[in-house]
């Protein structure tokens, strides 16, 4: 289930989105109820029509008080909410630990006040779930809230555990498994990036759905279930982006995250109690590299991209039997140029429109994607053409599943073109996709869980136009790498920029031999400022001959404790696409992100010099 506070829109919008995404229950946030013209009874009826239970009403704030007169007023306010809950059909209300100056410090006095409220709730057949806010005045940890509930000693009084409030404080959740399960009334789940900031601001603006942040939610959830919790798994996420974007899309993202969390928990702890019933997903078949990547082109950008591929050593080897699609190959790297994709980028634009991964079982891969709510894309094909399953990623990129062995190549008729001189490129190393700001976290989760990949750490670099965030996902053998990036803030049009840049990176075993070949072929390679290599010479102990070759070829460099990375780039082609050539030494698994500002600045200079198609 999911809390209405996670989504944008009115309560009416939220209920429709939650039901459409497949949830069967909700938490009703008080502000949403206050703003709707529906009465509580009408909300209950609408939820029933949509197949949604109302499992929690929240929040009730600042119940306890050292001032008995004020506590009396708080109690009367609470009773009005309990009466409302009866009409709403919700049986549990969340009571937060107080943040007020008059909050009760004495745990026995607090327990007595909670007991009093629990009696009022029980008289109506309702329950009180007490939650420790991470910034509560006197109760800010789960064990402190449990002590108050334990001493309150009432059957209608229990705990609400929230993963953010527990994990954001660095609290150890292992003791949760020792709590009596019948006193765990409700569970709220949220992830978050690791940030060093005020916990209240962290909570209000930066929570994420499970799997999108840095918390160990499978470990936390395992502790709660081990205690005997048998209630719903509910998502409660406060996030500035989620509360502005399409609620239908956010609800799907939420459901996908919950399915992935349940899968992660089952894989981590196969000895879960029999009473625990988790959703099951088709397992992700191993991937074995890229079958192809596809660029959408038109009559202007298509010839430009084709010429660039030829200078990179690719050969136009095939033409699709029924579609305006060209096949270009070098080694195991295959690029399709598709002139049939209708795009809104304008004349002369090109974009990465699809990527295809090789998998041992394409049918199972497609079934997993569909189970994770990926939109299945209809495809027209001839009677003798390969039946390739495809789904849509959040950014609109099509993801194909191909069987290893390249059966799909029979869809292309040989061109008998004269082979281009090879540049030594061996295969596709990675695909890099810029994401819309609002959907960066959604995309990272999608590519990770649909393809069964693992996330790398998130990094940020200071680019010419502000901070850019990077995150990549990859399989364990690093045969499929997908890099995602997003500009954290992009405002103003004072200089022409590269809108949502994308690139394909191809691997070589000898970056300098490849660079010489590319220069000889006239490839549109990016120039690197001499200052960059001067800085390398000052910082690193590179061999003089290596550094000289890097200067001559425009090669960039990075290294870590595992290995080295050499790479170079082309100009931007078709407004937003460029190519990269990389050589990895030893066990370097990153992407040379530290050099991104140098590449971005060079691309900007070319844009300022004039439009490049």
């Amino acid at each position: 289930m999911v809390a209405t506070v996670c989504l944008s829109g009115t309560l009416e919008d939220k209920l429709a989105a939650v039901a459409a995404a497949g949830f069967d229950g909700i938490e009703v946030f008080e502000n949403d109820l206050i703003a709707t013209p529906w009465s509580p009874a009408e909300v209950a009826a609408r939820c029933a029509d949509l197949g949604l239970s109302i499992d929690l009403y929240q929040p009730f704030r600042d119940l306890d008080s050292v001032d008995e007169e004020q506590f009396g007023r708080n109690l009367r306010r609470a009773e009005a909410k309990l009466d409302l809950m009866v009409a709403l059909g919700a049986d549990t209300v969340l009571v937060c630990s107080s943040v007020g100056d008059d909050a009760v410090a004495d745990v026995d006095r607090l327990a007595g006040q909670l007991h009093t409220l629990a009696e009022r709730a029980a008289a109506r057949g309702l329950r009180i779930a007490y939650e420790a806010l991470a910034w509560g005045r006197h109760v800010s940890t789960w064990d402190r809230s449990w002590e108050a509930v334990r001493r309150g000693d009432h059957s209608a009084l229990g705990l609400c555990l929230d993963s953010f409030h527990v994990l954001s404080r660095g609290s150890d959740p292992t003791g949760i498994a020792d709590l009596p399960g019948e006193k765990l009334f409700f569970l709220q789940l949220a992830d978050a990036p690791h940030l060093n900031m005020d916990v209240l601001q962290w909570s209000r603006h930066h929570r994420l759905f499970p799997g999108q942040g840095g918390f160990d939610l499978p470990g936390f959830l395992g502790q709660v279930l081990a205690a005997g919790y048998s209630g719903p798994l509910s998502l409660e996420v406060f996030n500035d982006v989620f509360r502005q974007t399409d609620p239908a899309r956010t609800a799907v993202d939420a459901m996908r995250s919950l399915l992935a969390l349940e899968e992660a928990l089952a894989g981590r702890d196969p000895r879960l109690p029999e009473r625990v019933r988790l959703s099951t997903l088709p397992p992700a078949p191993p991937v074995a590299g890229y079958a192809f990547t596809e660029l959408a082109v038109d009559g202007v950008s298509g010839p430009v991209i084709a010429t660039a591929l030829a200078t990179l050593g690719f050969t136009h080897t095939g033409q699709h039997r029924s579609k305006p699609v060209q096949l270009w190959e070098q080694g195991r790297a295959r690029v399709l140029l598709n002139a049939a994709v209708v795009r809104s980028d304008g004349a002369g634009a090109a974009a990465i429109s699809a990527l295809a991964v090789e998998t041992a079982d394409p049918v199972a891969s497609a079934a997993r994607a569909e189970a994770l709510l990926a939109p299945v894309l209809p495809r027209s094909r001839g009677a003798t053409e390969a039946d390739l399953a495809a789904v849509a990623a959040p950014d609109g990129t099509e993801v194909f599943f191909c069987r290893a062995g390249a059966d799909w190549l029979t869809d292309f008729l040989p061109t008998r073109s004269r082979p281009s001189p090879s540049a030594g490129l061996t295969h596709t190393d990675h695909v890099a996709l810029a994401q819309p700001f609002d959907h960066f976290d959604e995309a990272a989760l999608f590519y990770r869980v649909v393809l069964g990949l693992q996330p790398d750490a998130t990094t940020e670099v200071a680019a010419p136009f502000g901070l850019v965030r990077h995150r990549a996902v990859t399989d364990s053998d690093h045969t499929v790498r997908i890099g995602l990036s997003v500009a954290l803030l992009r405002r103003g049009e004072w200089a022409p920029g590269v809108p949502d840049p994308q690139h394909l990176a191809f691997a070589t075993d000898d970056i300098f031999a490849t660079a010489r070949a590319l220069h000889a072929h006239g490839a549109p390679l990016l120039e690197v400022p001499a200052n960059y290599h001067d800085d390398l010479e000052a910082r690193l102990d590179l061999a003089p001959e290596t550094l000289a070759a890097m200067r001559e070829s425009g090669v960039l460099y990075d290294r870590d404790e595992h290995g080295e990375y050499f790479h170079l780039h082309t100009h931007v082609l078709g407004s937003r696409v460029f190519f990269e050539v990389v050589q990895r030494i030893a066990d370097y698994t990153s992407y040379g992100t530290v050099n991104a500002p140098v590449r971005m600045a060079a691309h900007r200079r070319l844009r300022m010099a004039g439009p490049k198609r």
Side-chain angles (χ1 to χ4, degrees):
M1 62 177 292
V2 65
T4 59
V5 74
C6 298
L7 310 175
S8 67
T10 65
L11 183 60
E12 302 94 287
D13 300 323
K14 298 179 182 191
L15 295 182
V18 167
F23 286 99
D24 57 11
I26 58 165
E27 301 177 28
V28 172
F29 196 67
E30 183 175 64
N31 293 14
D32 290 319
L33 184 64
I34 291 172
T36 184
W38 293 342
S39 69
E42 288 172 326
V43 172
R46 178 56 176 157
C47 286
D49 290 342
L50 293 171
L52 297 172
S53 60
I54 303 176
D55 294 290
L56 187 76
Y57 182 69
Q58 66 120 336
F60 189 84
R61 303 185 188 278
D62 298 325
L63 167 73
D64 55 286
S65 175
V66 293
D67 183 331
E68 287 301 325
E69 185 176 343
Q70 180 60 46
F71 175 66
R73 289 193 291 269
N74 293 345
L75 202 57
R76 287 191 294 274
R77 176 167 57 95
E79 290 205 81
K81 297 303 180 182
L82 295 175
D83 290 339
L84 180 153
M85 288 174 57
V86 173
L88 194 61
D91 67 354
T92 306
V93 61
L94 184 149
V95 175
C96 301
S97 63
S98 178
V99 300
D101 293 338
D102 63 337
V104 172
D106 176 28
V107 68
D108 287 317
R109 187 171 183 180
L110 171 61
Q113 293 184 357
L114 288 173
H115 183 96
T116 299
L117 180 59
E119 286 186 328
R120 309 291 176 91
R124 297 169 172 82
L126 306 177
R127 305 189 307 171
I128 305 300
Y130 185 58
E131 175 187 61
L133 296 178
W135 53 90
R137 184 165 182 81
H138 299 297
V139 178
S140 58
T141 61
W142 70 263
D143 49 344
R144 180 78 171 172
S145 63
W146 164 239
E147 186 63 15
V149 166
R150 185 185 68 80
R151 298 190 188 199
D153 191 24
H154 196 288
S155 60
L157 177 63
L159 277 182
C160 174
L161 291 175
D162 183 309
S163 63
F164 181 86
H165 293 305
V166 175
L167 300 178
S168 65
R169 292 185 59 88
S171 298
D172 185 358
T174 55
I176 291 174
D178 297 325
L179 296 176
E182 68 275 9
K183 300 303 287 184
L184 299 181
F185 281 6
F186 208 78
L187 175 65
Q188 294 175 322
L189 297 166
D191 208 338
H194 291 298
L195 299 173
N196 185 18
M197 66 185 304
D198 175 75
V199 70
L200 176 58
Q201 296 304 311
W202 188 11
S203 172
R204 285 287 177 261
H205 303 285
H206 299 286
R207 295 197 197 193
L208 295 168
F209 292 127
Q212 296 177 339
F215 289 166
D216 180 12
L217 287 189
F220 173 82
L221 179 54
Q223 292 294 318
V224 177
L225 295 178
Y229 177 73
S230 58
L233 307 183
S234 183
L235 303 177
E236 189 203 36
V237 172
F238 296 83
N239 183 285
D240 293 343
V241 171
F242 297 166
R243 287 189 283 183
Q244 295 182 57
T245 52
D246 180 358
R249 179 171 185 157
T250 305
V252 168
D253 189 26
M255 175 58 81
R256 182 179 296 129
S257 76
L258 193 55
L259 292 171
L261 173 60
E262 294 186 15
E263 179 184 52
L265 176 63
R268 177 167 174 165
D269 189 356
R271 299 167 299 173
L272 291 170
E274 291 185 3
R275 59 177 172 73
V276 177
R277 294 291 181 266
L278 299 176
S279 301
T280 57
L281 295 170
V287 294
Y290 288 101
F292 63 83
T293 50
E294 178 186 275
L295 299 178
V297 297
D298 62 13
V300 177
S301 63
V304 173
I305 298 290
T307 298
L309 286 173
T311 63
L312 291 174
F314 283 81
T315 299
H316 179 200
T317 58
Q319 189 70 37
H320 198 276
R321 294 175 182 273
S322 62
K323 301 179 179 71
V325 180
Q326 299 176 357
L327 168 64
W328 290 74
E329 294 184 273
Q330 182 175 185
R332 301 192 311 278
R334 302 185 183 96
V335 179
L336 306 185
L337 301 186
N338 189 341
V341 178
V342 178
R343 303 193 60 83
S344 58
D345 305 62
I352 298 175
S353 54
L355 57 89
V357 295
E358 290 188 344
T359 167
D361 191 339
V363 174
S365 293
R368 176 180 176 82
E370 190 170 4
L372 284 161
L373 309 182
V376 177
L377 297 174
R379 297 187 66 248
S380 60
R381 66 184 183 90
T384 61
E385 294 174 3
D387 185 12
L388 300 181
V391 297
D395 60 0
T397 302
E398 296 183 3
V399 179
F400 287 84
F401 303 104
C402 298
R403 189 175 301 280
D407 294 344
W408 58 274
L409 284 172
T410 59
D411 290 355
F412 289 83
L413 299 173
T415 62
R416 312 297 182 190
S417 299
R418 176 180 297 178
S420 301
S422 174
L425 304 184
T426 58
H427 63 279
T428 298
D429 182 86
H430 64 271
V431 178
L433 304 170
Q435 299 296 306
F437 178 81
D438 290 353
H439 307 305
F440 178 76
D441 294 308
E442 176 190 6
L445 178 70
F446 174 91
Y447 284 112
R448 180 173 68 82
V449 301
V450 167
L451 299 179
L453 308 179
Q454 296 300 315
D456 291 339
T458 298
T459 60
E460 293 180 357
V461 297
F465 297 103
L467 288 179
V468 175
R469 181 173 294 159
H470 294 265
R471 191 173 200 185
V473 292
T474 183
D475 67 301
S476 58
D477 293 329
H478 303 292
T479 63
V480 170
R481 295 179 169 99
I482 300 173
L484 305 173
S485 64
V486 62
L488 301 189
L489 184 65
R490 182 72 168 97
R491 297 289 184 270
E493 296 298 333
W494 65 272
V498 179
D500 298 327
Q502 306 173 319
H503 73 268
L504 302 179
F506 304 113
T508 178
D509 294 329
D510 188 337
I511 189 73
F512 299 115
T514 292
R516 289 191 293 270
L518 297 184
H519 280 288
H521 301 163
L525 299 182
L526 201 61
E527 293 184 10
V528 177
N531 290 337
Y532 171 80
H533 293 107
D534 290 345
D535 179 69
L536 281 184
E537 184 175 19
R539 289 189 298 110
L540 305 176
D541 55 346
L542 292 171
E545 59 272 19
T546 300
L547 191 59
M550 292 172 63
R551 290 182 187 274
E552 179 181 0
S553 305
V555 171
L556 304 172
Y557 177 81
D558 188 31
R559 71 183 182 192
D560 59 20
E561 65 273 23
H562 304 296
E564 299 173 284
Y565 187 71
F566 297 89
H567 58 140
L568 56 80
H569 307 85
T570 71
H571 297 178
V572 173
L573 309 165
S575 299
R576 62 183 295 203
V577 174
F578 63 95
F579 300 110
E580 180 181 15
V581 176
V582 311
Q583 182 182 2
R584 297 176 183 273
I585 305 295
D587 293 324
Y588 182 96
T589 59
S590 192
Y591 301 85
T593 305
V594 67
N595 296 319
V598 177
R599 183 256 302 163
M600 292 178 191
H603 277 154
R604 175 185 178 275
R605 282 190 291 273
L606 288 174
R607 299 287 286 189
M608 292 294 287
K612 295 288 185 182
R613 293 295 186 185

